[in-house]
Amino acid sequence: DSGVTQTPKHLITATGQRVTLRCSPRSGDLSVYWYQQSLDQGLQFLIQYYNGEERAKGNILERFSAQQFPDLHSELNLSSLELGDSALYFCASSVGGEIGTGELFFGEGSRLTVL
Amino acid sequence: DAKTTQPPSMDCAEGRAANLPCNHSTISGNEYVYWYRQIHSQGPQYIIHGLKNNETNEMASLIITEDRKSSTLILPHATLRDTAVYYCIVRVAREYGNKLVFGAGTILRVKS
């Protein structure tokens, strides 16, 4: 158990819909990362937040957005869903900032299926 | 971050040591070598990291060559549960705007 909690574990929805994935980081971790893993692709970095602020952006589509709240949990919002958005979405957390030594701890993921 | 090269797959007999190589010839002086693994569809799991000295923890050992251009992850007594994709990643430890970039990794198959 990494200490990172992701909900929901599974989600099935239709094209055009909007979903929200939630992540609770490990206690004390200030950084949250989101990754996408499709069947035929590796782990793709989407976005990073540190203590409520966006710190790094990867290949995140404009239809996707994220935020980190004052209690440090994070949400990834996916809208106008397409079949190709079906994937595993992982959240990771770490101590963060200048004092971090780089270890990320991943949750078990949210499996999104778009029909 | 420096690029890494790993073999696409490897086999290992159960109970034997698994030695997973990684080349990172363009590594910079302040970049660490990190190893993660992903067991089928689970979240990636941190294994170990190091800068220039060899490192050991309860999961594995990391051997980094003196010129730091390559490294080897050693699982001393591989079990069937070690079957996974292993990722070697090189990056500076500081985290501001410095995400982990995963490559294709090495698929390790441990066989009985």
Side-chain angles (χ1 to χ4, degrees), chain A residues 33 35 37 90 94 98 100-104 106-107, chain B residues 34 36 38 43-44 46 91 94-97 99-100:
Chain A
Y33 303 73
Y35 284 81
Q37 188 172 36
F90 290 106
S94 66
E98 294 294 343
T101 54
E103 304 102 290
L104 268 63
F106 284 78
Chain B
Y34 293 85
Y36 283 75
Q38 186 177 23
Y46 165 79
R91 89 195 228 293
R94 177 180 49 82
E95 290 186 40
Y96 283 129
K99 68 283 182 186
L100 281 174

mmCIF file with all atom_site columns, all heavy atoms in Angstrom, chain A residues 33 35 37 90 94 98 100-104 106-107, chain B residues 34 36 38 43-44 46 91 94-97 99-100:
data_model
loop_
_atom_site.group_PDB
_atom_site.id
_atom_site.type_symbol
_atom_site.label_atom_id
_atom_site.label_alt_id
_atom_site.label_comp_id
_atom_site.label_asym_id
_atom_site.label_entity_id
_atom_site.label_seq_id
_atom_site.pdbx_PDB_ins_code
_atom_site.Cartn_x
_atom_site.Cartn_y
_atom_site.Cartn_z
_atom_site.occupancy
_atom_site.B_iso_or_equiv
_atom_site.pdbx_formal_charge
_atom_site.auth_seq_id
_atom_site.auth_comp_id
_atom_site.auth_asym_id
_atom_site.auth_atom_id
_atom_site.pdbx_PDB_model_num
ATOM 1   N N   . TYR A 1 33  ? 1.072  14.213 -8.936  1.00 0.00 ? 33  TYR A N   1
ATOM 2   C CA  . TYR A 1 33  ? 1.296  14.037 -10.371 1.00 0.00 ? 33  TYR A CA  1
ATOM 3   C C   . TYR A 1 33  ? 0.148  13.197 -10.929 1.00 0.00 ? 33  TYR A C   1
ATOM 4   O O   . TYR A 1 33  ? -0.328 12.262 -10.276 1.00 0.00 ? 33  TYR A O   1
ATOM 5   C CB  . TYR A 1 33  ? 2.598  13.278 -10.627 1.00 0.00 ? 33  TYR A CB  1
ATOM 6   C CG  . TYR A 1 33  ? 3.853  13.900 -10.048 1.00 0.00 ? 33  TYR A CG  1
ATOM 7   C CD1 . TYR A 1 33  ? 4.114  13.867 -8.683  1.00 0.00 ? 33  TYR A CD1 1
ATOM 8   C CD2 . TYR A 1 33  ? 4.800  14.481 -10.884 1.00 0.00 ? 33  TYR A CD2 1
ATOM 9   C CE1 . TYR A 1 33  ? 5.273  14.418 -8.167  1.00 0.00 ? 33  TYR A CE1 1
ATOM 10  C CE2 . TYR A 1 33  ? 5.964  15.026 -10.373 1.00 0.00 ? 33  TYR A CE2 1
ATOM 11  C CZ  . TYR A 1 33  ? 6.190  14.995 -9.011  1.00 0.00 ? 33  TYR A CZ  1
ATOM 12  O OH  . TYR A 1 33  ? 7.341  15.534 -8.500  1.00 0.00 ? 33  TYR A OH  1
ATOM 13  N N   . TYR A 1 35  ? -0.803 10.755 -14.328 1.00 0.00 ? 35  TYR A N   1
ATOM 14  C CA  . TYR A 1 35  ? -0.300 10.038 -15.495 1.00 0.00 ? 35  TYR A CA  1
ATOM 15  C C   . TYR A 1 35  ? -1.452 9.296  -16.159 1.00 0.00 ? 35  TYR A C   1
ATOM 16  O O   . TYR A 1 35  ? -2.404 8.879  -15.502 1.00 0.00 ? 35  TYR A O   1
ATOM 17  C CB  . TYR A 1 35  ? 0.765  9.008  -15.096 1.00 0.00 ? 35  TYR A CB  1
ATOM 18  C CG  . TYR A 1 35  ? 2.115  9.594  -14.760 1.00 0.00 ? 35  TYR A CG  1
ATOM 19  C CD1 . TYR A 1 35  ? 2.377  10.146 -13.511 1.00 0.00 ? 35  TYR A CD1 1
ATOM 20  C CD2 . TYR A 1 35  ? 3.147  9.580  -15.700 1.00 0.00 ? 35  TYR A CD2 1
ATOM 21  C CE1 . TYR A 1 35  ? 3.617  10.681 -13.211 1.00 0.00 ? 35  TYR A CE1 1
ATOM 22  C CE2 . TYR A 1 35  ? 4.393  10.110 -15.397 1.00 0.00 ? 35  TYR A CE2 1
ATOM 23  C CZ  . TYR A 1 35  ? 4.618  10.656 -14.161 1.00 0.00 ? 35  TYR A CZ  1
ATOM 24  O OH  . TYR A 1 35  ? 5.842  11.184 -13.862 1.00 0.00 ? 35  TYR A OH  1
ATOM 25  N N   . GLN A 1 37  ? -2.188 5.994  -18.825 1.00 0.00 ? 37  GLN A N   1
ATOM 26  C CA  . GLN A 1 37  ? -1.612 4.806  -19.475 1.00 0.00 ? 37  GLN A CA  1
ATOM 27  C C   . GLN A 1 37  ? -2.674 4.125  -20.317 1.00 0.00 ? 37  GLN A C   1
ATOM 28  O O   . GLN A 1 37  ? -3.575 3.479  -19.791 1.00 0.00 ? 37  GLN A O   1
ATOM 29  C CB  . GLN A 1 37  ? -1.036 3.839  -18.453 1.00 0.00 ? 37  GLN A CB  1
ATOM 30  C CG  . GLN A 1 37  ? -0.267 2.692  -19.082 1.00 0.00 ? 37  GLN A CG  1
ATOM 31  C CD  . GLN A 1 37  ? 0.460  1.853  -18.044 1.00 0.00 ? 37  GLN A CD  1
ATOM 32  O OE1 . GLN A 1 37  ? -0.038 1.645  -16.950 1.00 0.00 ? 37  GLN A OE1 1
ATOM 33  N NE2 . GLN A 1 37  ? 1.658  1.377  -18.378 1.00 0.00 ? 37  GLN A NE2 1
ATOM 34  N N   . PHE A 1 90  ? -3.294 7.271  -13.395 1.00 0.00 ? 90  PHE A N   1
ATOM 35  C CA  . PHE A 1 90  ? -2.588 7.118  -12.131 1.00 0.00 ? 90  PHE A CA  1
ATOM 36  C C   . PHE A 1 90  ? -2.292 8.478  -11.521 1.00 0.00 ? 90  PHE A C   1
ATOM 37  O O   . PHE A 1 90  ? -1.927 9.423  -12.207 1.00 0.00 ? 90  PHE A O   1
ATOM 38  C CB  . PHE A 1 90  ? -1.260 6.387  -12.326 1.00 0.00 ? 90  PHE A CB  1
ATOM 39  C CG  . PHE A 1 90  ? -1.402 4.938  -12.671 1.00 0.00 ? 90  PHE A CG  1
ATOM 40  C CD1 . PHE A 1 90  ? -1.167 4.488  -13.956 1.00 0.00 ? 90  PHE A CD1 1
ATOM 41  C CD2 . PHE A 1 90  ? -1.750 4.007  -11.691 1.00 0.00 ? 90  PHE A CD2 1
ATOM 42  C CE1 . PHE A 1 90  ? -1.292 3.151  -14.286 1.00 0.00 ? 90  PHE A CE1 1
ATOM 43  C CE2 . PHE A 1 90  ? -1.882 2.666  -12.002 1.00 0.00 ? 90  PHE A CE2 1
ATOM 44  C CZ  . PHE A 1 90  ? -1.652 2.241  -13.302 1.00 0.00 ? 90  PHE A CZ  1
ATOM 45  N N   . SER A 1 94  ? 4.542  12.887 -3.852  1.00 0.00 ? 94  SER A N   1
ATOM 46  C CA  . SER A 1 94  ? 5.877  12.890 -3.283  1.00 0.00 ? 94  SER A CA  1
ATOM 47  C C   . SER A 1 94  ? 5.989  14.055 -2.318  1.00 0.00 ? 94  SER A C   1
ATOM 48  O O   . SER A 1 94  ? 5.139  14.942 -2.310  1.00 0.00 ? 94  SER A O   1
ATOM 49  C CB  . SER A 1 94  ? 6.946  12.991 -4.371  1.00 0.00 ? 94  SER A CB  1
ATOM 50  O OG  . SER A 1 94  ? 6.869  14.246 -5.008  1.00 0.00 ? 94  SER A OG  1
ATOM 51  N N   . GLU A 1 98  ? 11.983 21.500 -3.040  1.00 0.00 ? 98  GLU A N   1
ATOM 52  C CA  . GLU A 1 98  ? 13.435 21.394 -3.041  1.00 0.00 ? 98  GLU A CA  1
ATOM 53  C C   . GLU A 1 98  ? 13.942 20.293 -2.129  1.00 0.00 ? 98  GLU A C   1
ATOM 54  O O   . GLU A 1 98  ? 15.038 19.801 -2.305  1.00 0.00 ? 98  GLU A O   1
ATOM 55  C CB  . GLU A 1 98  ? 14.036 22.735 -2.602  1.00 0.00 ? 98  GLU A CB  1
ATOM 56  C CG  . GLU A 1 98  ? 13.782 23.871 -3.576  1.00 0.00 ? 98  GLU A CG  1
ATOM 57  C CD  . GLU A 1 98  ? 14.495 23.673 -4.911  1.00 0.00 ? 98  GLU A CD  1
ATOM 58  O OE1 . GLU A 1 98  ? 15.426 22.844 -4.984  1.00 0.00 ? 98  GLU A OE1 1
ATOM 59  O OE2 . GLU A 1 98  ? 14.100 24.335 -5.876  1.00 0.00 ? 98  GLU A OE2 1
ATOM 60  N N   . GLY A 1 100 ? 12.580 17.356 -1.701  1.00 0.00 ? 100 GLY A N   1
ATOM 61  C CA  . GLY A 1 100 ? 12.276 16.006 -2.144  1.00 0.00 ? 100 GLY A CA  1
ATOM 62  C C   . GLY A 1 100 ? 13.488 15.344 -2.774  1.00 0.00 ? 100 GLY A C   1
ATOM 63  O O   . GLY A 1 100 ? 14.326 16.010 -3.377  1.00 0.00 ? 100 GLY A O   1
ATOM 64  N N   . THR A 1 101 ? 13.583 14.051 -2.671  1.00 0.00 ? 101 THR A N   1
ATOM 65  C CA  . THR A 1 101 ? 14.674 13.336 -3.323  1.00 0.00 ? 101 THR A CA  1
ATOM 66  C C   . THR A 1 101 ? 14.179 12.521 -4.507  1.00 0.00 ? 101 THR A C   1
ATOM 67  O O   . THR A 1 101 ? 14.892 11.686 -5.033  1.00 0.00 ? 101 THR A O   1
ATOM 68  C CB  . THR A 1 101 ? 15.396 12.397 -2.341  1.00 0.00 ? 101 THR A CB  1
ATOM 69  O OG1 . THR A 1 101 ? 14.438 11.537 -1.740  1.00 0.00 ? 101 THR A OG1 1
ATOM 70  C CG2 . THR A 1 101 ? 16.123 13.188 -1.285  1.00 0.00 ? 101 THR A CG2 1
ATOM 71  N N   . GLY A 1 102 ? 12.978 12.752 -4.903  1.00 0.00 ? 102 GLY A N   1
ATOM 72  C CA  . GLY A 1 102 ? 12.553 12.255 -6.187  1.00 0.00 ? 102 GLY A CA  1
ATOM 73  C C   . GLY A 1 102 ? 11.685 11.023 -6.211  1.00 0.00 ? 102 GLY A C   1
ATOM 74  O O   . GLY A 1 102 ? 11.236 10.617 -7.256  1.00 0.00 ? 102 GLY A O   1
ATOM 75  N N   . GLU A 1 103 ? 11.488 10.371 -5.060  1.00 0.00 ? 103 GLU A N   1
ATOM 76  C CA  . GLU A 1 103 ? 10.651 9.172  -5.121  1.00 0.00 ? 103 GLU A CA  1
ATOM 77  C C   . GLU A 1 103 ? 9.188  9.566  -5.254  1.00 0.00 ? 103 GLU A C   1
ATOM 78  O O   . GLU A 1 103 ? 8.704  10.375 -4.472  1.00 0.00 ? 103 GLU A O   1
ATOM 79  C CB  . GLU A 1 103 ? 10.805 8.318  -3.859  1.00 0.00 ? 103 GLU A CB  1
ATOM 80  C CG  . GLU A 1 103 ? 12.212 7.904  -3.541  1.00 0.00 ? 103 GLU A CG  1
ATOM 81  C CD  . GLU A 1 103 ? 12.799 8.744  -2.428  1.00 0.00 ? 103 GLU A CD  1
ATOM 82  O OE1 . GLU A 1 103 ? 13.058 9.945  -2.668  1.00 0.00 ? 103 GLU A OE1 1
ATOM 83  O OE2 . GLU A 1 103 ? 12.971 8.213  -1.331  1.00 0.00 ? 103 GLU A OE2 1
ATOM 84  N N   . LEU A 1 104 ? 8.536  8.991  -6.234  1.00 0.00 ? 104 LEU A N   1
ATOM 85  C CA  . LEU A 1 104 ? 7.101  9.164  -6.388  1.00 0.00 ? 104 LEU A CA  1
ATOM 86  C C   . LEU A 1 104 ? 6.416  7.894  -5.930  1.00 0.00 ? 104 LEU A C   1
ATOM 87  O O   . LEU A 1 104 ? 6.891  6.793  -6.199  1.00 0.00 ? 104 LEU A O   1
ATOM 88  C CB  . LEU A 1 104 ? 6.753  9.429  -7.860  1.00 0.00 ? 104 LEU A CB  1
ATOM 89  C CG  . LEU A 1 104 ? 6.694  10.883 -8.312  1.00 0.00 ? 104 LEU A CG  1
ATOM 90  C CD1 . LEU A 1 104 ? 8.040  11.550 -8.176  1.00 0.00 ? 104 LEU A CD1 1
ATOM 91  C CD2 . LEU A 1 104 ? 6.174  10.970 -9.735  1.00 0.00 ? 104 LEU A CD2 1
ATOM 92  N N   . PHE A 1 106 ? 2.852  5.871  -6.206  1.00 0.00 ? 106 PHE A N   1
ATOM 93  C CA  . PHE A 1 106 ? 1.690  5.816  -7.080  1.00 0.00 ? 106 PHE A CA  1
ATOM 94  C C   . PHE A 1 106 ? 0.505  5.141  -6.418  1.00 0.00 ? 106 PHE A C   1
ATOM 95  O O   . PHE A 1 106 ? 0.656  4.181  -5.658  1.00 0.00 ? 106 PHE A O   1
ATOM 96  C CB  . PHE A 1 106 ? 2.037  5.048  -8.360  1.00 0.00 ? 106 PHE A CB  1
ATOM 97  C CG  . PHE A 1 106 ? 2.869  5.826  -9.327  1.00 0.00 ? 106 PHE A CG  1
ATOM 98  C CD1 . PHE A 1 106 ? 4.230  5.974  -9.128  1.00 0.00 ? 106 PHE A CD1 1
ATOM 99  C CD2 . PHE A 1 106 ? 2.297  6.422  -10.451 1.00 0.00 ? 106 PHE A CD2 1
ATOM 100 C CE1 . PHE A 1 106 ? 5.013  6.694  -10.016 1.00 0.00 ? 106 PHE A CE1 1
ATOM 101 C CE2 . PHE A 1 106 ? 3.065  7.146  -11.337 1.00 0.00 ? 106 PHE A CE2 1
ATOM 102 C CZ  . PHE A 1 106 ? 4.422  7.285  -11.120 1.00 0.00 ? 106 PHE A CZ  1
ATOM 103 N N   . GLY A 1 107 ? -0.687 5.634  -6.779  1.00 0.00 ? 107 GLY A N   1
ATOM 104 C CA  . GLY A 1 107 ? -1.902 4.943  -6.403  1.00 0.00 ? 107 GLY A CA  1
ATOM 105 C C   . GLY A 1 107 ? -2.166 3.767  -7.323  1.00 0.00 ? 107 GLY A C   1
ATOM 106 O O   . GLY A 1 107 ? -1.379 3.492  -8.243  1.00 0.00 ? 107 GLY A O   1
ATOM 107 N N   . TYR B 2 34  ? 16.991 6.320  -11.177 1.00 0.00 ? 34  TYR B N   1
ATOM 108 C CA  . TYR B 2 34  ? 15.851 5.779  -10.443 1.00 0.00 ? 34  TYR B CA  1
ATOM 109 C C   . TYR B 2 34  ? 15.374 4.493  -11.127 1.00 0.00 ? 34  TYR B C   1
ATOM 110 O O   . TYR B 2 34  ? 15.405 4.378  -12.349 1.00 0.00 ? 34  TYR B O   1
ATOM 111 C CB  . TYR B 2 34  ? 14.667 6.751  -10.448 1.00 0.00 ? 34  TYR B CB  1
ATOM 112 C CG  . TYR B 2 34  ? 14.892 8.024  -9.684  1.00 0.00 ? 34  TYR B CG  1
ATOM 113 C CD1 . TYR B 2 34  ? 15.514 9.113  -10.278 1.00 0.00 ? 34  TYR B CD1 1
ATOM 114 C CD2 . TYR B 2 34  ? 14.454 8.143  -8.375  1.00 0.00 ? 34  TYR B CD2 1
ATOM 115 C CE1 . TYR B 2 34  ? 15.721 10.286 -9.577  1.00 0.00 ? 34  TYR B CE1 1
ATOM 116 C CE2 . TYR B 2 34  ? 14.647 9.313  -7.661  1.00 0.00 ? 34  TYR B CE2 1
ATOM 117 C CZ  . TYR B 2 34  ? 15.288 10.379 -8.273  1.00 0.00 ? 34  TYR B CZ  1
ATOM 118 O OH  . TYR B 2 34  ? 15.486 11.544 -7.579  1.00 0.00 ? 34  TYR B OH  1
ATOM 119 N N   . TYR B 2 36  ? 11.938 1.978  -11.138 1.00 0.00 ? 36  TYR B N   1
ATOM 120 C CA  . TYR B 2 36  ? 10.571 1.695  -10.765 1.00 0.00 ? 36  TYR B CA  1
ATOM 121 C C   . TYR B 2 36  ? 10.149 0.402  -11.460 1.00 0.00 ? 36  TYR B C   1
ATOM 122 O O   . TYR B 2 36  ? 10.757 0.006  -12.462 1.00 0.00 ? 36  TYR B O   1
ATOM 123 C CB  . TYR B 2 36  ? 9.617  2.816  -11.219 1.00 0.00 ? 36  TYR B CB  1
ATOM 124 C CG  . TYR B 2 36  ? 9.668  4.045  -10.365 1.00 0.00 ? 36  TYR B CG  1
ATOM 125 C CD1 . TYR B 2 36  ? 10.730 4.931  -10.456 1.00 0.00 ? 36  TYR B CD1 1
ATOM 126 C CD2 . TYR B 2 36  ? 8.646  4.326  -9.462  1.00 0.00 ? 36  TYR B CD2 1
ATOM 127 C CE1 . TYR B 2 36  ? 10.786 6.062  -9.656  1.00 0.00 ? 36  TYR B CE1 1
ATOM 128 C CE2 . TYR B 2 36  ? 8.693  5.460  -8.659  1.00 0.00 ? 36  TYR B CE2 1
ATOM 129 C CZ  . TYR B 2 36  ? 9.765  6.316  -8.766  1.00 0.00 ? 36  TYR B CZ  1
ATOM 130 O OH  . TYR B 2 36  ? 9.817  7.431  -7.982  1.00 0.00 ? 36  TYR B OH  1
ATOM 131 N N   . GLN B 2 38  ? 6.420  -1.906 -12.634 1.00 0.00 ? 38  GLN B N   1
ATOM 132 C CA  . GLN B 2 38  ? 4.971  -1.924 -12.727 1.00 0.00 ? 38  GLN B CA  1
ATOM 133 C C   . GLN B 2 38  ? 4.531  -3.362 -12.950 1.00 0.00 ? 38  GLN B C   1
ATOM 134 O O   . GLN B 2 38  ? 4.807  -3.943 -14.013 1.00 0.00 ? 38  GLN B O   1
ATOM 135 C CB  . GLN B 2 38  ? 4.453  -1.024 -13.853 1.00 0.00 ? 38  GLN B CB  1
ATOM 136 C CG  . GLN B 2 38  ? 2.947  -0.912 -13.865 1.00 0.00 ? 38  GLN B CG  1
ATOM 137 C CD  . GLN B 2 38  ? 2.427  0.032  -14.919 1.00 0.00 ? 38  GLN B CD  1
ATOM 138 O OE1 . GLN B 2 38  ? 3.091  0.302  -15.914 1.00 0.00 ? 38  GLN B OE1 1
ATOM 139 N NE2 . GLN B 2 38  ? 1.223  0.555  -14.706 1.00 0.00 ? 38  GLN B NE2 1
ATOM 140 N N   . GLY B 2 43  ? -0.198 0.322  -10.068 1.00 0.00 ? 43  GLY B N   1
ATOM 141 C CA  . GLY B 2 43  ? 0.567  1.559  -10.077 1.00 0.00 ? 43  GLY B CA  1
ATOM 142 C C   . GLY B 2 43  ? 2.060  1.270  -10.008 1.00 0.00 ? 43  GLY B C   1
ATOM 143 O O   . GLY B 2 43  ? 2.483  0.323  -9.341  1.00 0.00 ? 43  GLY B O   1
ATOM 144 N N   . PRO B 2 44  ? 2.859  2.038  -10.711 1.00 0.00 ? 44  PRO B N   1
ATOM 145 C CA  . PRO B 2 44  ? 4.317  1.838  -10.627 1.00 0.00 ? 44  PRO B CA  1
ATOM 146 C C   . PRO B 2 44  ? 4.792  1.910  -9.181  1.00 0.00 ? 44  PRO B C   1
ATOM 147 O O   . PRO B 2 44  ? 4.254  2.669  -8.374  1.00 0.00 ? 44  PRO B O   1
ATOM 148 C CB  . PRO B 2 44  ? 4.867  2.996  -11.458 1.00 0.00 ? 44  PRO B CB  1
ATOM 149 C CG  . PRO B 2 44  ? 3.771  3.322  -12.420 1.00 0.00 ? 44  PRO B CG  1
ATOM 150 C CD  . PRO B 2 44  ? 2.505  3.094  -11.647 1.00 0.00 ? 44  PRO B CD  1
ATOM 151 N N   . TYR B 2 46  ? 8.127  2.361  -6.649  1.00 0.00 ? 46  TYR B N   1
ATOM 152 C CA  . TYR B 2 46  ? 9.509  2.796  -6.505  1.00 0.00 ? 46  TYR B CA  1
ATOM 153 C C   . TYR B 2 46  ? 10.353 1.640  -5.974  1.00 0.00 ? 46  TYR B C   1
ATOM 154 O O   . TYR B 2 46  ? 9.928  0.923  -5.057  1.00 0.00 ? 46  TYR B O   1
ATOM 155 C CB  . TYR B 2 46  ? 9.574  3.982  -5.550  1.00 0.00 ? 46  TYR B CB  1
ATOM 156 C CG  . TYR B 2 46  ? 10.955 4.301  -5.029  1.00 0.00 ? 46  TYR B CG  1
ATOM 157 C CD1 . TYR B 2 46  ? 11.867 5.002  -5.810  1.00 0.00 ? 46  TYR B CD1 1
ATOM 158 C CD2 . TYR B 2 46  ? 11.347 3.875  -3.769  1.00 0.00 ? 46  TYR B CD2 1
ATOM 159 C CE1 . TYR B 2 46  ? 13.135 5.288  -5.334  1.00 0.00 ? 46  TYR B CE1 1
ATOM 160 C CE2 . TYR B 2 46  ? 12.618 4.157  -3.292  1.00 0.00 ? 46  TYR B CE2 1
ATOM 161 C CZ  . TYR B 2 46  ? 13.503 4.869  -4.082  1.00 0.00 ? 46  TYR B CZ  1
ATOM 162 O OH  . TYR B 2 46  ? 14.760 5.151  -3.605  1.00 0.00 ? 46  TYR B OH  1
ATOM 163 N N   . ARG B 2 91  ? 17.112 11.481 -13.775 1.00 0.00 ? 91  ARG B N   1
ATOM 164 C CA  . ARG B 2 91  ? 16.659 12.860 -13.630 1.00 0.00 ? 91  ARG B CA  1
ATOM 165 C C   . ARG B 2 91  ? 17.282 13.470 -12.387 1.00 0.00 ? 91  ARG B C   1
ATOM 166 O O   . ARG B 2 91  ? 17.763 12.778 -11.515 1.00 0.00 ? 91  ARG B O   1
ATOM 167 C CB  . ARG B 2 91  ? 15.146 12.905 -13.560 1.00 0.00 ? 91  ARG B CB  1
ATOM 168 C CG  . ARG B 2 91  ? 14.523 12.772 -12.197 1.00 0.00 ? 91  ARG B CG  1
ATOM 169 C CD  . ARG B 2 91  ? 13.060 12.482 -12.324 1.00 0.00 ? 91  ARG B CD  1
ATOM 170 N NE  . ARG B 2 91  ? 12.118 13.222 -11.554 1.00 0.00 ? 91  ARG B NE  1
ATOM 171 C CZ  . ARG B 2 91  ? 11.954 13.208 -10.248 1.00 0.00 ? 91  ARG B CZ  1
ATOM 172 N NH1 . ARG B 2 91  ? 12.794 12.563 -9.493  1.00 0.00 ? 91  ARG B NH1 1
ATOM 173 N NH2 . ARG B 2 91  ? 10.984 13.879 -9.671  1.00 0.00 ? 91  ARG B NH2 1
ATOM 174 N N   . ARG B 2 94  ? 15.706 17.230 -7.588  1.00 0.00 ? 94  ARG B N   1
ATOM 175 C CA  . ARG B 2 94  ? 14.842 18.365 -7.279  1.00 0.00 ? 94  ARG B CA  1
ATOM 176 C C   . ARG B 2 94  ? 13.541 18.226 -8.048  1.00 0.00 ? 94  ARG B C   1
ATOM 177 O O   . ARG B 2 94  ? 13.531 17.871 -9.209  1.00 0.00 ? 94  ARG B O   1
ATOM 178 C CB  . ARG B 2 94  ? 15.551 19.663 -7.685  1.00 0.00 ? 94  ARG B CB  1
ATOM 179 C CG  . ARG B 2 94  ? 14.739 20.916 -7.480  1.00 0.00 ? 94  ARG B CG  1
ATOM 180 C CD  . ARG B 2 94  ? 15.529 22.123 -7.913  1.00 0.00 ? 94  ARG B CD  1
ATOM 181 N NE  . ARG B 2 94  ? 16.104 21.956 -9.225  1.00 0.00 ? 94  ARG B NE  1
ATOM 182 C CZ  . ARG B 2 94  ? 15.438 22.155 -10.355 1.00 0.00 ? 94  ARG B CZ  1
ATOM 183 N NH1 . ARG B 2 94  ? 14.164 22.484 -10.325 1.00 0.00 ? 94  ARG B NH1 1
ATOM 184 N NH2 . ARG B 2 94  ? 16.038 21.992 -11.530 1.00 0.00 ? 94  ARG B NH2 1
ATOM 185 N N   . GLU B 2 95  ? 12.438 18.523 -7.405  1.00 0.00 ? 95  GLU B N   1
ATOM 186 C CA  . GLU B 2 95  ? 11.164 18.164 -7.998  1.00 0.00 ? 95  GLU B CA  1
ATOM 187 C C   . GLU B 2 95  ? 10.387 19.267 -8.661  1.00 0.00 ? 95  GLU B C   1
ATOM 188 O O   . GLU B 2 95  ? 9.398  18.994 -9.313  1.00 0.00 ? 95  GLU B O   1
ATOM 189 C CB  . GLU B 2 95  ? 10.279 17.539 -6.919  1.00 0.00 ? 95  GLU B CB  1
ATOM 190 C CG  . GLU B 2 95  ? 10.773 16.173 -6.503  1.00 0.00 ? 95  GLU B CG  1
ATOM 191 C CD  . GLU B 2 95  ? 9.816  15.533 -5.557  1.00 0.00 ? 95  GLU B CD  1
ATOM 192 O OE1 . GLU B 2 95  ? 8.608  15.668 -5.782  1.00 0.00 ? 95  GLU B OE1 1
ATOM 193 O OE2 . GLU B 2 95  ? 10.284 14.934 -4.589  1.00 0.00 ? 95  GLU B OE2 1
ATOM 194 N N   . TYR B 2 96  ? 10.786 20.484 -8.493  1.00 0.00 ? 96  TYR B N   1
ATOM 195 C CA  . TYR B 2 96  ? 9.986  21.523 -9.118  1.00 0.00 ? 96  TYR B CA  1
ATOM 196 C C   . TYR B 2 96  ? 9.985  21.333 -10.629 1.00 0.00 ? 96  TYR B C   1
ATOM 197 O O   . TYR B 2 96  ? 11.004 21.372 -11.286 1.00 0.00 ? 96  TYR B O   1
ATOM 198 C CB  . TYR B 2 96  ? 10.539 22.915 -8.790  1.00 0.00 ? 96  TYR B CB  1
ATOM 199 C CG  . TYR B 2 96  ? 10.201 23.367 -7.403  1.00 0.00 ? 96  TYR B CG  1
ATOM 200 C CD1 . TYR B 2 96  ? 11.178 23.847 -6.553  1.00 0.00 ? 96  TYR B CD1 1
ATOM 201 C CD2 . TYR B 2 96  ? 8.894  23.327 -6.938  1.00 0.00 ? 96  TYR B CD2 1
ATOM 202 C CE1 . TYR B 2 96  ? 10.874 24.288 -5.276  1.00 0.00 ? 96  TYR B CE1 1
ATOM 203 C CE2 . TYR B 2 96  ? 8.576  23.756 -5.666  1.00 0.00 ? 96  TYR B CE2 1
ATOM 204 C CZ  . TYR B 2 96  ? 9.560  24.236 -4.846  1.00 0.00 ? 96  TYR B CZ  1
ATOM 205 O OH  . TYR B 2 96  ? 9.257  24.663 -3.586  1.00 0.00 ? 96  TYR B OH  1
ATOM 206 N N   . GLY B 2 97  ? 8.828  21.117 -11.151 1.00 0.00 ? 97  GLY B N   1
ATOM 207 C CA  . GLY B 2 97  ? 8.693  20.980 -12.591 1.00 0.00 ? 97  GLY B CA  1
ATOM 208 C C   . GLY B 2 97  ? 9.522  19.853 -13.169 1.00 0.00 ? 97  GLY B C   1
ATOM 209 O O   . GLY B 2 97  ? 9.902  19.885 -14.325 1.00 0.00 ? 97  GLY B O   1
ATOM 210 N N   . LYS B 2 99  ? 9.117  16.153 -13.614 1.00 0.00 ? 99  LYS B N   1
ATOM 211 C CA  . LYS B 2 99  ? 8.357  14.912 -13.499 1.00 0.00 ? 99  LYS B CA  1
ATOM 212 C C   . LYS B 2 99  ? 9.217  13.715 -13.896 1.00 0.00 ? 99  LYS B C   1
ATOM 213 O O   . LYS B 2 99  ? 10.268 13.855 -14.500 1.00 0.00 ? 99  LYS B O   1
ATOM 214 C CB  . LYS B 2 99  ? 7.133  14.984 -14.425 1.00 0.00 ? 99  LYS B CB  1
ATOM 215 C CG  . LYS B 2 99  ? 7.458  14.986 -15.917 1.00 0.00 ? 99  LYS B CG  1
ATOM 216 C CD  . LYS B 2 99  ? 7.960  16.315 -16.399 1.00 0.00 ? 99  LYS B CD  1
ATOM 217 C CE  . LYS B 2 99  ? 8.223  16.310 -17.904 1.00 0.00 ? 99  LYS B CE  1
ATOM 218 N NZ  . LYS B 2 99  ? 8.849  17.576 -18.338 1.00 0.00 ? 99  LYS B NZ  1
ATOM 219 N N   . LEU B 2 100 ? 8.743  12.544 -13.569 1.00 0.00 ? 100 LEU B N   1
ATOM 220 C CA  . LEU B 2 100 ? 9.353  11.299 -14.039 1.00 0.00 ? 100 LEU B CA  1
ATOM 221 C C   . LEU B 2 100 ? 8.856  11.015 -15.450 1.00 0.00 ? 100 LEU B C   1
ATOM 222 O O   . LEU B 2 100 ? 7.662  11.029 -15.695 1.00 0.00 ? 100 LEU B O   1
ATOM 223 C CB  . LEU B 2 100 ? 8.952  10.141 -13.142 1.00 0.00 ? 100 LEU B CB  1
ATOM 224 C CG  . LEU B 2 100 ? 9.660  9.950  -11.809 1.00 0.00 ? 100 LEU B CG  1
ATOM 225 C CD1 . LEU B 2 100 ? 8.993  8.829  -11.034 1.00 0.00 ? 100 LEU B CD1 1
ATOM 226 C CD2 . LEU B 2 100 ? 11.136 9.641  -12.012 1.00 0.00 ? 100 LEU B CD2 1
#
